[in-house]
Coordinates of all heavy atoms in Angstrom, one line a residue:
M1 N 109.9 107.1 112.9 CA 108.9 106.2 113.5 C 109.3 104.8 113.3 O 109.7 104.4 112.2 CB 107.5 106.5 112.8 CG 106.4 105.7 113.3 SD 104.8 106.3 112.6 CE 104.1 107.0 114.1
P2 N 109.1 104.0 114.3 CA 109.5 102.6 114.2 C 108.6 101.8 113.2 O 107.5 102.2 113.0 CB 109.3 102.0 115.6 CG 108.3 103.0 116.3 CD 108.5 104.3 115.6
R3 N 109.1 100.7 112.7 CA 108.4 100.0 111.7 C 107.4 99.0 112.4 O 106.5 98.5 111.7 CB 109.3 99.2 110.8 CG 110.1 100.1 110.0 CD 110.9 99.4 109.0 NE 111.8 100.3 108.3 CZ 111.8 100.5 107.0 NH1 111.0 99.8 106.3 NH2 112.6 101.4 106.4
E4 N 107.4 98.8 113.7 CA 106.4 98.1 114.4 C 106.1 98.8 115.7 O 107.0 99.4 116.3 CB 106.7 96.6 114.5 CG 108.0 96.3 115.3 CD 109.2 96.2 114.4 OE1 109.0 95.8 113.2 OE2 110.2 96.5 114.8
I5 N 104.9 98.6 116.2 CA 104.5 99.2 117.5 C 104.0 98.1 118.4 O 103.4 97.1 117.9 CB 103.5 100.3 117.3 CG1 102.3 99.8 116.5 CG2 104.0 101.5 116.6 CD1 101.1 100.8 116.4
A6 N 104.2 98.3 119.7 CA 103.7 97.3 120.6 C 102.4 97.8 121.1 O 102.2 98.9 121.6 CB 104.7 97.1 121.8
F7 N 101.4 96.9 121.0 CA 100.0 97.2 121.5 C 99.6 96.1 122.5 O 99.3 95.0 122.0 CB 99.1 97.3 120.3 CG 97.7 97.7 120.7 CD1 97.4 99.0 121.2 CD2 96.6 96.8 120.7 CE1 96.1 99.3 121.6 CE2 95.4 97.1 121.0 CZ 95.1 98.4 121.5
H8 N 99.7 96.4 123.8 CA 99.4 95.4 124.8 C 100.3 94.1 124.7 O 99.8 93.0 124.8 CB 97.9 95.0 124.8 CG 97.0 96.1 125.2 ND1 96.9 96.6 126.5 CD2 96.2 96.9 124.5 CE1 96.1 97.6 126.5 NE2 95.6 97.8 125.3
G9 N 101.5 94.4 124.4 CA 102.5 93.2 124.2 C 102.5 92.5 122.9 O 103.2 91.6 122.7
V10 N 101.7 93.0 122.0 CA 101.6 92.4 120.6 C 102.2 93.4 119.7 O 101.8 94.5 119.6 CB 100.1 92.1 120.2 CG1 100.1 91.5 118.8 CG2 99.5 91.1 121.2
Y11 N 103.2 92.9 118.9 CA 103.8 93.8 117.9 C 103.0 93.8 116.6 O 102.6 92.8 116.1 CB 105.2 93.3 117.6 CG 106.2 93.6 118.6 CD1 106.7 92.6 119.5 CD2 106.7 94.9 118.7 CE1 107.6 92.9 120.5 CE2 107.6 95.2 119.7 CZ 108.1 94.2 120.6 OH 109.0 94.6 121.5
M12 N 102.7 95.0 116.2 CA 101.8 95.2 115.0 C 102.6 96.1 114.1 O 103.4 96.9 114.5 CB 100.5 95.9 115.4 CG 99.7 95.1 116.3 SD 98.2 96.0 116.9 CE 97.6 96.8 115.5
P13 N 102.4 95.9 112.8 CA 103.1 96.8 111.8 C 102.6 98.2 111.9 O 101.4 98.4 112.3 CB 102.8 96.2 110.5 CG 101.8 95.1 110.6 CD 101.7 94.9 112.1
T14 N 103.4 99.2 111.7 CA 103.0 100.6 111.8 C 102.0 100.9 110.7 O 101.2 101.8 110.9 CB 104.2 101.5 111.6 OG1 105.2 101.1 112.6 CG2 103.9 102.9 111.8
M15 N 102.0 100.1 109.7 CA 101.0 100.3 108.6 C 99.6 100.1 109.1 O 98.7 100.7 108.5 CB 101.3 99.4 107.4 CG 102.6 99.6 106.8 SD 102.9 101.3 106.3 CE 101.8 101.4 105.0
T16 N 99.4 99.3 110.1 CA 98.0 99.2 110.7 C 97.5 100.5 111.3 O 96.4 101.0 111.0 CB 98.0 98.1 111.8 OG1 98.5 96.9 111.3 CG2 96.6 97.9 112.3
L17 N 98.4 101.2 112.0 CA 98.1 102.5 112.5 C 97.9 103.5 111.4 O 96.9 104.3 111.5 CB 99.2 103.0 113.5 CG 99.0 104.3 114.2 CD1 97.7 104.3 115.0 CD2 100.2 104.7 115.0
M18 N 98.7 103.5 110.4 CA 98.6 104.4 109.3 C 97.3 104.2 108.5 O 96.6 105.1 108.1 CB 99.8 104.2 108.3 CG 101.1 104.6 108.8 SD 101.1 106.4 109.2 CE 102.6 106.5 110.2
F19 N 96.9 102.9 108.4 CA 95.6 102.6 107.7 C 94.4 103.2 108.5 O 93.5 103.8 107.9 CB 95.4 101.1 107.6 CG 94.2 100.6 106.9 CD1 94.2 100.5 105.6 CD2 93.0 100.3 107.7 CE1 93.0 100.1 104.9 CE2 91.9 100.0 107.0 CZ 91.9 99.8 105.6
L20 N 94.5 103.1 109.8 CA 93.4 103.6 110.6 C 93.3 105.2 110.6 O 92.3 105.8 110.5 CB 93.5 103.1 112.1 CG 93.3 101.7 112.3 CD1 93.6 101.3 113.7 CD2 91.9 101.2 111.8
I21 N 94.5 105.8 110.6 CA 94.6 107.2 110.5 C 94.1 107.7 109.1 O 93.3 108.7 109.0 CB 96.0 107.7 110.8 CG1 96.3 107.5 112.2 CG2 96.1 109.2 110.4 CD1 97.8 107.8 112.5
A22 N 94.5 107.0 108.1 CA 94.1 107.3 106.7 C 92.6 107.1 106.5 O 91.9 107.9 105.9 CB 94.8 106.5 105.7
A23 N 92.0 106.1 107.1 CA 90.6 105.9 107.1 C 89.8 107.0 107.8 O 88.8 107.5 107.2 CB 90.2 104.5 107.7
A24 N 90.3 107.5 108.9 CA 89.7 108.6 109.6 C 89.8 109.9 108.8 O 88.8 110.6 108.7 CB 90.3 108.7 111.0
L25 N 90.9 110.1 108.2 CA 91.1 111.3 107.4 C 90.2 111.3 106.2 O 89.6 112.3 105.8 CB 92.5 111.6 107.1 CG 93.5 112.0 108.2 CD1 94.9 112.0 107.7 CD2 93.1 113.4 108.7
A26 N 90.1 110.1 105.5 CA 89.3 110.0 104.3 C 87.9 110.1 104.7 O 87.1 110.8 103.9 CB 89.6 108.7 103.7
W27 N 87.4 109.6 105.8 CA 86.0 109.8 106.2 C 85.7 111.2 106.5 O 84.6 111.7 106.1 CB 85.8 108.9 107.5 CG 84.4 109.1 108.0 CD1 83.3 108.5 107.5 CD2 84.0 109.9 109.0 NE1 82.2 108.9 108.2 CE2 82.6 109.8 109.2 CE3 84.6 110.8 109.9 CZ2 81.8 110.5 110.1 CZ3 83.9 111.5 110.8 CH2 82.5 111.3 110.9
A28 N 86.6 112.0 107.2 CA 86.4 113.4 107.4 C 86.3 114.2 106.1 O 85.4 115.1 106.0 CB 87.5 113.9 108.3
L29 N 87.2 113.9 105.2 CA 87.2 114.6 103.9 C 85.9 114.2 103.1 O 85.3 115.1 102.4 CB 88.4 114.2 103.1 CG 88.7 115.0 101.9 CD1 88.8 116.5 102.2 CD2 90.0 114.5 101.2
D30 N 85.5 113.0 103.2 CA 84.2 112.6 102.6 C 83.0 113.3 103.1 O 82.2 113.8 102.4 CB 84.1 111.1 102.8 CG 82.8 110.5 102.2 OD1 82.6 110.8 100.9 OD2 82.0 109.9 102.9
R31 N 83.0 113.5 104.5 CA 81.9 114.2 105.1 C 81.9 115.7 104.6 O 80.9 116.3 104.4 CB 81.9 114.1 106.6 CG 81.7 112.8 107.2 CD 80.2 112.3 106.9 NE 80.1 111.5 105.7 CZ 79.1 111.4 105.0 NH1 78.0 112.0 105.3 NH2 79.1 110.7 103.9
F32 N 83.1 116.2 104.5 CA 83.2 117.6 104.1 C 82.7 117.8 102.6 O 81.9 118.7 102.3 CB 84.7 118.1 104.1 CG 85.0 119.4 103.6 CD1 84.6 120.6 104.3 CD2 85.5 119.6 102.3 CE1 84.9 121.8 103.8 CE2 85.8 120.8 101.8 CZ 85.4 122.0 102.6
L33 N 83.1 116.9 101.7 CA 82.7 117.0 100.3 C 81.2 116.7 100.2 O 80.5 117.4 99.4 CB 83.5 116.0 99.5 CG 85.0 116.2 99.3 CD1 85.6 115.1 98.6 CD2 85.1 117.5 98.5
A34 N 80.7 115.8 101.0 CA 79.2 115.5 100.9 C 78.4 116.7 101.6 O 77.3 117.0 101.1 CB 78.9 114.2 101.7
G35 N 79.0 117.3 102.6 CA 78.3 118.4 103.3 C 78.1 119.6 102.4 O 77.0 120.3 102.4
F36 N 79.0 119.9 101.5 CA 78.9 121.0 100.6 C 78.4 120.6 99.2 O 78.5 121.4 98.3 CB 80.3 121.7 100.5 CG 80.6 122.5 101.7 CD1 81.6 122.1 102.6 CD2 79.9 123.7 102.0 CE1 81.9 122.8 103.7 CE2 80.2 124.4 103.1 CZ 81.2 124.0 104.0
D37 N 78.0 119.3 99.1 CA 77.5 118.8 97.8 C 78.5 118.9 96.7 O 78.1 119.3 95.6 CB 76.1 119.4 97.5 CG 75.3 118.6 96.5 OD1 75.5 117.4 96.4 OD2 74.6 119.3 95.7
L38 N 79.7 118.7 97.0 CA 80.8 118.8 95.9 C 80.9 117.5 95.1 O 81.6 117.5 94.1 CB 82.1 119.1 96.6 CG 82.2 120.5 97.3 CD1 83.5 120.7 98.0 CD2 81.9 121.6 96.3
Y39 N 80.2 116.4 95.5 CA 80.3 115.2 94.7 C 79.6 115.3 93.4 O 79.8 114.5 92.5 CB 79.7 114.0 95.5 CG 80.7 113.4 96.5 CD1 80.4 113.3 97.8 CD2 81.9 113.0 96.1 CE1 81.3 112.8 98.7 CE2 82.8 112.4 96.9 CZ 82.5 112.3 98.3 OH 83.4 111.8 99.2
R40 N 78.8 116.3 93.2 CA 78.0 116.5 92.0 C 79.0 116.9 90.8 O 78.6 116.8 89.7 CB 76.9 117.5 92.1 CG 77.3 118.9 92.5 CD 76.1 119.8 92.8 NE 76.6 120.9 93.5 CZ 76.7 122.1 93.0 NH1 76.4 122.3 91.7 NH2 77.1 123.1 93.7
F41 N 80.2 117.4 91.2 CA 81.1 117.8 90.1 C 82.0 116.6 89.6 O 82.8 116.8 88.7 CB 82.1 118.9 90.7 CG 81.4 120.2 91.0 CD1 81.3 120.6 92.3 CD2 80.8 120.9 90.0 CE1 80.7 121.8 92.6 CE2 80.1 122.1 90.3 CZ 80.1 122.5 91.6
F42 N 81.8 115.4 90.2 CA 82.7 114.3 89.9 C 81.8 113.2 89.2 O 80.7 113.0 89.5 CB 83.3 113.7 91.1 CG 84.3 114.7 91.8 CD1 83.9 115.4 92.9 CD2 85.6 114.9 91.3 CE1 84.8 116.3 93.5 CE2 86.5 115.8 91.8 CZ 86.1 116.5 92.9
W43 N 82.5 112.5 88.3 CA 81.8 111.5 87.5 C 81.4 110.3 88.3 O 80.3 109.8 88.1 CB 82.7 111.1 86.3 CG 82.3 109.9 85.6 CD1 81.2 109.9 84.7 CD2 82.9 108.6 85.6 NE1 81.1 108.6 84.2 CE2 82.1 107.8 84.7 CE3 84.0 108.1 86.2 CZ2 82.4 106.5 84.5 CZ3 84.3 106.8 85.9 CH2 83.5 106.0 85.1
H44 N 82.3 109.9 89.1 CA 82.1 108.6 89.9 C 82.5 108.9 91.3 O 83.7 108.7 91.7 CB 82.9 107.5 89.3 CG 82.4 106.2 89.5 ND1 82.5 105.6 90.8 CD2 81.8 105.2 88.8 CE1 82.0 104.4 90.7 NE2 81.5 104.1 89.5
P45 N 81.6 109.2 92.2 CA 81.9 109.5 93.6 C 82.6 108.4 94.4 O 83.5 108.6 95.2 CB 80.6 109.9 94.3 CG 79.7 110.3 93.2 CD 80.2 109.5 92.0
A46 N 82.2 107.1 94.1 CA 82.9 106.0 94.8 C 84.3 105.9 94.4 O 85.2 105.5 95.2 CB 82.1 104.7 94.5
L47 N 84.6 106.1 93.1 CA 86.0 106.1 92.7 C 86.8 107.2 93.3 O 88.0 107.0 93.6 CB 86.0 106.1 91.1 CG 87.3 105.9 90.4 CD1 87.9 104.6 90.8 CD2 87.2 106.1 89.0
L48 N 86.2 108.3 93.4 CA 86.9 109.5 94.1 C 87.2 109.1 95.5 O 88.3 109.4 96.0 CB 86.0 110.7 94.0 CG 86.6 111.9 94.8 CD1 87.8 112.4 94.0 CD2 85.6 113.0 94.9
R49 N 86.2 108.5 96.2 CA 86.5 108.1 97.6 C 87.7 107.1 97.7 O 88.5 107.3 98.6 CB 85.2 107.5 98.2 CG 84.1 108.4 98.5 CD 82.9 107.7 99.1 NE 81.9 108.7 99.3 CZ 80.7 108.6 98.7 NH1 80.5 107.7 97.8 NH2 79.8 109.5 98.9
L50 N 87.7 106.2 96.9 CA 88.8 105.2 96.9 C 90.1 105.8 96.6 O 91.1 105.6 97.2 CB 88.5 104.1 95.9 CG 89.6 103.0 95.8 CD1 89.7 102.2 97.1 CD2 89.3 102.1 94.6
S51 N 90.1 106.7 95.6 CA 91.4 107.3 95.2 C 91.9 108.3 96.3 O 93.1 108.4 96.5 CB 91.3 108.0 93.9 OG 90.3 109.0 93.9
L52 N 91.0 109.0 97.0 CA 91.4 109.9 98.1 C 92.0 109.1 99.2 O 93.0 109.4 99.8 CB 90.2 110.7 98.6 CG 89.7 111.8 97.8 CD1 88.4 112.4 98.4 CD2 90.8 112.9 97.7
F53 N 91.4 107.9 99.5 CA 91.9 107.1 100.6 C 93.3 106.6 100.2 O 94.2 106.5 101.0 CB 91.0 105.9 100.9 CG 91.6 104.9 101.8 CD1 91.7 105.2 103.2 CD2 92.1 103.7 101.3 CE1 92.3 104.3 104.0 CE2 92.7 102.8 102.2 CZ 92.8 103.1 103.5
T54 N 93.4 106.1 98.9 CA 94.7 105.6 98.5 C 95.8 106.7 98.5 O 96.9 106.4 98.9 CB 94.5 105.1 97.0 OG1 93.5 104.1 97.0 CG2 95.8 104.4 96.5
C55 N 95.5 107.9 98.1 CA 96.5 109.0 98.2 C 96.9 109.3 99.6 O 98.1 109.5 99.9 CB 95.9 110.2 97.5 SG 95.8 110.0 95.7
I56 N 95.9 109.4 100.5 CA 96.2 109.7 101.9 C 97.0 108.6 102.5 O 98.0 108.8 103.2 CB 94.9 109.9 102.7 CG1 94.2 111.2 102.2 CG2 95.2 110.0 104.2 CD1 92.8 111.4 102.8
F57 N 96.6 107.3 102.3 CA 97.4 106.2 102.8 C 98.8 106.1 102.3 O 99.8 105.8 103.0 CB 96.6 104.9 102.6 CG 97.3 103.7 103.1 CD1 97.4 103.5 104.5 CD2 97.7 102.7 102.3 CE1 98.0 102.4 105.0 CE2 98.3 101.5 102.8 CZ 98.4 101.4 104.2
G58 N 98.9 106.4 101.0 CA 100.3 106.4 100.4 C 101.2 107.5 100.9 O 102.3 107.2 101.2
A59 N 100.6 108.6 101.1 CA 101.4 109.7 101.7 C 101.8 109.4 103.1 O 103.0 109.7 103.5 CB 100.6 111.0 101.7
L60 N 100.9 108.8 103.9 CA 101.3 108.5 105.3 C 102.4 107.3 105.3 O 103.3 107.3 106.1 CB 100.1 108.0 106.1 CG 99.1 109.1 106.4 CD1 97.9 108.6 107.1 CD2 99.8 110.2 107.3
A61 N 102.2 106.4 104.4 CA 103.2 105.3 104.3 C 104.6 105.8 103.9 O 105.6 105.2 104.3 CB 102.7 104.2 103.3
L62 N 104.6 106.8 103.0 CA 105.9 107.3 102.6 C 106.7 108.0 103.8 O 107.9 108.0 103.7 CB 105.7 108.3 101.5 CG 105.5 107.7 100.1 CD1 105.2 108.8 99.1 CD2 106.6 106.9 99.7
T63 N 106.0 108.4 104.8 CA 106.6 109.0 105.9 C 107.4 107.9 106.8 O 108.3 108.2 107.4 CB 105.7 109.8 106.9 OG1 104.7 108.9 107.4 CG2 105.0 110.9 106.1
V64 N 106.9 106.7 106.7 CA 107.5 105.6 107.5 C 108.5 104.9 106.7 O 109.6 104.7 107.1 CB 106.4 104.6 108.0 CG1 107.0 103.4 108.7 CG2 105.4 105.3 108.9
Y65 N 108.2 104.5 105.4 CA 109.1 103.7 104.6 C 109.7 104.6 103.5 O 109.3 104.5 102.3 CB 108.3 102.6 104.0 CG 107.7 101.6 105.0 CD1 106.4 101.6 105.4 CD2 108.6 100.7 105.6 CE1 105.9 100.8 106.3 CE2 108.1 99.8 106.5 CZ 106.8 99.8 106.9 OH 106.3 99.0 107.8
R66 N 110.6 105.4 103.8 CA 111.3 106.1 102.7 C 112.8 105.9 102.8 O 113.4 105.3 103.6 CB 111.0 107.6 102.7 CG 111.4 108.3 103.9 CD 111.1 109.8 103.8 NE 111.2 110.3 105.1 CZ 112.0 111.2 105.5 NH1 112.8 111.8 104.7 NH2 112.0 111.6 106.8

């Protein structure tokens, strides 16, 4: 995957696209966990949300920058 993408003639870093994909995946996973009331097993749900997003974003970033 290229390190930058052209969007209507403007070059943007690929990390912008990865950020949006990671945000969508984290949101879907958040809805899944909330739907089955699985957040009651975790001490701090907001910290879990942040760490899930960070792990997803990091995994996607490793596919581009390795």
